[in-house]
Amino acid sequence: MSHQFKTIIEPFRIHSVEPLRMTTLEQRQEAIQAAGYNLFSLRAEDVLIDLLTDSGTGAMSRDQWAAIQHGDESYAGSPSWFRFQEAVQDLFPFKHVIPTHQGRAAEKILFTVLGGPGKVIPNNTHFDTTRANVEFTGAEARDMVIPEGKQASTLHPFKGNIDLQALEGLLSERAADVPVVFITITNNSGGGQPVSLANIRAANEICRRYSVPLFLDACRFAENAWFIHEREDGQRSREIAEIVREMASLADGMTMSAKKDPFGNIGGWLAVNDDALADRCRNLLILTEGFPTYGGLAGRDLEAIAQGLREAVHPDYLRYRIRSTAYLGNALDAAGVPVVKPIGGHAVYLDALTLLPHIPPLQYPGQALSVALYEVGGIRSVEIGTVMFGRQPDGTEKPAAMELVRLAIPRRTYTQSHIDYVVEVVQQVALESATLPGYRMVDEPPSLRHFTARFAPIR
Ligand SMILES: *Cc1c(COP(=O)(O)O)cnc(C)c1O
């Protein structure tokens, strides 16, 4: 009989290391003040543990670096393109694969074709760039996650599910105004929560009835498939790749950021079945990204992604990935720090509204918490709350559904001792939480304001 050990073993060992730079409290206070209290404006070298995002920040494998040497930089019809296309279609058998330099480029192209004033695009929860690209065309981006998905501490195995009743309600009234329905797997802006196969299947059935295409924003497809494997009835015996193929078979197309589950440092794609839609998208692609066999990427990037896709669905990796994220979340939960539960796939989300009840939403409790995590321990996180989502298309400002701080875990990058340190720092900040100030925005850009806004503490 084999023994069950509880320590999470990283299914890799370290082959090349990067130094981290230690800083003092005073240096960090100075750096964050100079950055206008915006974590995006820090120099990365002034950060000790960088949990700003899991996007493009993961470690590539030996086999990915080897694949990069096979990169063929032919302008058209490169063998790297065909390897990329084959790897994508092996998991997502859509007829047309259109490579882009990032996920948002795929969004920009698709919504330029499908969006426009008077249109409504539903999604469980739009990611920030998705919402911005929808709204930029004059269309409305409407979030319709199930009610449990908006309550930080309510347990539900698939808190990312789209609200089927709300979807049916919208389509029964205005199907002609809905050019596409989106489901984001996992639901990034809603706590990294998964969507069940049953929910995608039911959404597919509703969309069929109203003849509206269903698309996946599939950035974390492998983590979502792992949750389905672990939590959904009858899925335990299936291979992860098989579950991914079934998710894809229920959709008419997808957008993708290869900087997430595919282990790329850059890249993305748009995939569709519809020939006419593919033609219109490719015409825009040539205008903004490049020729359809490279789409803004170097041949070596295409190779790295093709290899990354194979690694992303390996069960040893996914077991480690999901368990190590839960390790951080559960340790914080046990220490009494309010977190979104259950713990999601790629990140742990702190509930700033509960931790900082003295700071009202329009004084940005999430921003206050993320600044404190940086000052106290050099940890960089990101606010996902009113700073990110509070500005309305009509110019008013209103509180977001939740005030979260996301600790995103780059793939295969930090060890358990780095994570133990993060737990200690968050606990220290929680102890001092009553003394943290709120913030006001002193400089605000017209869209995606969280990236470049400047703040001042309200003392
Ligand atoms: C990252 C992300 C995007 C955008 O991808 P980029 O590569 O950053 O442009 C879109 N949707 C979701 C859910 C994401 O996580």
Side-chain angles (χ1 to χ4, degrees):
M1 194 193 102
S2 64
H3 299 282
Q4 289 289 322
F5 295 105
K6 69 179 193 322
T7 306
I8 306 163
I9 292 284
E10 288 89 357
F12 49 81
R13 57 186 182 187
I14 293 163
H15 166 81
S16 166
V17 298
E18 284 179 278
L20 292 177
R21 185 168 152 263
M22 302 293 169
T23 50
T24 63
L25 177 67
E26 291 70 32
Q27 286 172 328
R28 293 192 293 271
Q29 284 169 336
E30 222 168 274
I32 193 71
Q33 187 182 9
Y37 296 93
N38 187 331
L39 288 290
F40 284 101
S41 301
L42 287 171
R43 285 169 177 256
E45 284 189 322
D46 291 335
V47 174
L48 184 60
I49 307 285
D50 203 344
L51 308 182
L52 180 72
T53 175
D54 61 321
S55 180
T57 53
M60 285 209 291
S61 67
R62 172 194 65 191
D63 293 343
Q64 282 182 289
W65 286 110
I68 278 176
Q69 294 297 324
H70 292 272
D72 179 301
E73 306 303 341
S74 302
Y75 189 91
S78 150
S80 299
W81 152 251
F82 290 103
R83 275 192 284 272
F84 169 86
Q85 187 185 37
E86 193 185 320
V88 170
Q89 287 178 329
D90 179 51
L91 290 169
F92 307 97
F94 294 112
K95 194 168 166 200
H96 304 279
V97 178
I98 298 171
T100 59
H101 79 280
Q102 279 195 225
R104 70 196 66 185
E107 293 168 350
K108 169 80 177 152
I109 289 170
L110 183 70
F111 296 130
T112 300
V113 174
L114 295 181
K119 304 276 175 67
V120 188
I121 293 166
N123 200 323
N124 44 354
T125 313
H126 287 84
F127 181 64
D128 59 353
T129 61
T130 323
R131 170 171 289 279
N133 273 303
V134 168
E135 290 175 351
F136 189 72
T137 72
E140 178 193 341
R142 195 177 294 182
D143 290 343
M144 38 177 76
V145 72
I146 56 170
E148 291 88 339
K150 286 182 264 182
Q151 298 151 3
S153 57
T154 305
L155 291 176
H156 186 290
F158 293 103
K159 263 175 118 166
N161 282 354
I162 194 164
D163 185 332
L164 297 166
Q165 239 177 324
L167 179 61
E168 172 99 47
L170 173 67
L171 293 184
S172 67
E173 279 173 25
R174 303 182 56 183
D177 298 331
V178 181
V180 61
V181 171
F182 256 84
I183 296 183
T184 303
I185 56 172
T186 58
N187 192 26
N188 184 7
S189 298
Q193 300 291 324
V195 178
S196 70
L197 261 183
N199 188 253
I200 303 174
R201 208 177 285 128
N204 164 287
E205 192 271 324
I206 295 171
C207 289
R208 285 288 137 264
R209 260 193 289 122
Y210 293 94
S211 304
V212 174
L214 176 65
F215 270 53
L216 299 175
D217 177 342
C219 298
R220 295 178 186 79
F221 71 95
E223 293 172 6
N224 200 89
W226 180 257
F227 282 118
I228 287 173
H229 179 267
E230 296 295 290
R231 295 181 183 169
E232 195 159 349
D233 284 346
Q235 301 297 325
R236 265 299 167 95
S237 57
R238 299 180 76 190
E239 281 192 19
I240 301 302
E242 216 182 304
I243 297 173
V244 174
R245 283 181 207 114
E246 182 171 354
M247 294 192 294
S249 75
L250 295 167
D252 303 287
M254 69 186 294
T255 55
M256 185 68 163
S257 169
K259 304 173 72 171
K260 318 291 172 51
D261 273 353
F263 288 122
N265 293 133
I266 198 73
W269 68 84
L270 169 66
V272 304
N273 281 332
D274 186 290
D275 296 335
L277 178 60
D279 271 351
R280 295 176 68 192
C281 291
R282 280 204 190 95
N283 287 334
L284 274 177
L285 182 86
I286 293 176
L287 204 62
T288 60
E289 292 284 291
F291 190 72
T293 65
Y294 73 85
L297 293 169
R300 54 179 168 271
D301 300 325
L302 296 167
E303 295 278 0
I305 296 165
Q307 174 59 27
L309 280 172
R310 283 178 209 112
E311 297 173 12
V313 293
H314 198 292
D316 289 348
Y317 160 69
L318 284 168
R319 186 176 297 110
Y320 142 79
R321 171 73 175 160
I322 300 301
R323 281 191 64 202
S324 56
T325 304
Y327 174 84
L328 170 60
N330 292 337
L332 293 174
D333 186 34
V337 176
V339 294
V340 173
K341 288 190 277 189
I343 306 304
H346 67 292
V348 173
Y349 294 70
L350 309 177
D351 176 1
L353 204 56
T354 304
L355 189 65
L356 305 173
H358 63 290
I359 303 180
L362 295 183
Q363 291 182 17
Y364 315 131
Q367 193 68 22
L369 180 56
S370 58
V371 168
L373 292 172
Y374 174 70
E375 287 184 342
V376 171
I379 296 167
R380 179 152 69 169
S381 56
V382 70
E383 192 261 15
I384 300 199
T386 300
V387 173
M388 192 178 275
F389 291 119
R391 182 61 70 206
Q392 306 302 304
D394 67 6
T396 58
E397 188 179 31
K398 70 173 207 222
M402 295 191 276
E403 300 295 338
L404 304 177
V405 168
R406 187 184 71 179
L407 305 172
I409 321 283
R411 293 169 181 76
R412 305 187 293 205
T413 302
Y414 291 114
T415 64
Q416 188 169 328
S417 43
H418 290 122
I419 297 300
D420 287 337
Y421 170 82
V422 172
V423 174
E424 256 189 273
V425 172
V426 177
Q427 277 184 273
Q428 185 58 42
V429 170
L431 278 179
E432 300 171 15
S433 60
T435 67
L436 302 186
Y439 285 79
R440 63 193 167 84
M441 219 175 269
V442 292
D443 184 26
E444 179 181 349
S447 76
L448 291 171
R449 63 178 185 169
H450 52 289
F451 286 126
T452 51
R454 293 178 71 84
F455 301 84
I458 303 169
R459 307 265 186 209

